[in-house]
Amino acid sequence: QLELQREILARILDKSGVPCAAGEFLSIVKELGLILDLDRAVVTQTLAYLAQNPNCQPLTINLSTAAVRNRGFQDWLVSEVDGIGNLNIELNEVSVLNNLDVVARFRDRINKAGPGFGVDNFGIHPSGFSYLYKLQPDYVKIDGALISEIDRNAEDRFFVSSLITVAHSLEIKAYAE
């Protein structure tokens, strides 16, 4: 296995100091209107790490749909990541499909600043992947559910092979999650 990047995971400690998985707290963060603050904190902490470790492996941050749709957040992010090449910004496929025009403009701004742009959870949405032509991400990360049984399931191998062929035909890298 070849590790190409490291994904930054947001965690909040519970009352006993144990980290909670994002699925345990994200709905509350969104309900309280704090998702942009969380995204900003993750970016800030990641950039601090990169400043101390400039030659580290590329790091990847998943952003919320709210962050990408917020012009003020976009402006702040672009100014913060300007010139940083060992950073990737990802959005999940559902966010991309539901906000294609906004995401395409965001992707252009991010790429001009320096970071890469990718689509996470690629291949799981029934709408297909025709959006790739318009969006032209640097890479797609094939959803783990499609990869987990690939060595035992011929149908999964065929489907993943098809996804990779489509991505490569557009000169988009395809990674396994």
Side-chain angles (χ1 to χ4, degrees):
Q1 281 182 326
L2 176 64
E3 188 176 72
L4 301 171
Q5 55 183 245
R6 292 197 172 182
E7 192 165 332
I8 301 302
L9 303 175
R11 296 292 183 258
I12 293 177
L13 301 180
D14 67 14
K15 289 179 184 178
S16 59
V18 176
C20 300
E24 296 177 48
F25 64 82
L26 273 180
S27 60
I28 296 168
V29 169
K30 289 176 185 177
E31 186 177 315
L32 295 173
L34 298 173
I35 194 70
L36 292 179
D37 296 315
L38 178 62
D39 282 341
R40 193 178 305 264
V42 169
V43 170
T44 300
Q45 291 295 313
T46 301
L47 295 178
Y49 180 86
L50 287 172
Q52 293 176 356
N53 301 279
N55 298 319
C56 73
Q57 190 167 20
L59 301 178
T60 300
I61 298 171
N62 276 286
L63 289 181
S64 68
T65 303
V68 174
R69 295 177 74 188
N70 184 292
R71 184 63 182 207
F73 184 92
Q74 275 193 37
D75 292 343
W76 171 81
L77 179 65
V78 168
S79 71
E80 292 294 309
V81 302
D82 190 39
I84 298 178
N86 59 340
L87 179 68
N88 295 307
I89 304 294
E90 286 182 353
L91 290 174
N92 71 52
E93 186 174 59
V94 173
S95 293
V96 170
L97 287 167
N98 291 333
N99 302 279
L100 188 54
D101 291 334
V102 171
V103 172
R105 287 189 298 273
F106 174 76
R107 181 242 189 248
D108 290 344
R109 292 186 76 194
I110 287 298
N111 278 153
K112 286 177 187 167
F117 179 80
V119 176
D120 197 13
N121 306 114
F122 177 66
I124 60 168
H125 199 277
S127 292
F129 36 81
S130 61
Y131 68 88
L132 289 179
Y133 186 78
K134 178 176 183 172
L135 187 61
Q136 289 289 312
D138 297 304
Y139 65 90
V140 293
K141 196 181 295 178
I142 298 170
D143 191 78
L146 299 172
I147 301 297
S148 64
E149 300 284 324
I150 199 163
D151 58 336
R152 296 180 295 279
N153 187 316
E155 189 175 325
D156 284 353
R157 278 194 301 279
F158 173 75
F159 186 65
V160 169
S161 175
S162 298
L163 293 176
I164 292 169
T165 299
V166 168
H168 286 175
S169 74
L170 295 170
E171 298 182 14
I172 299 169
K173 296 174 186 166
Y175 303 146
E177 184 175 287

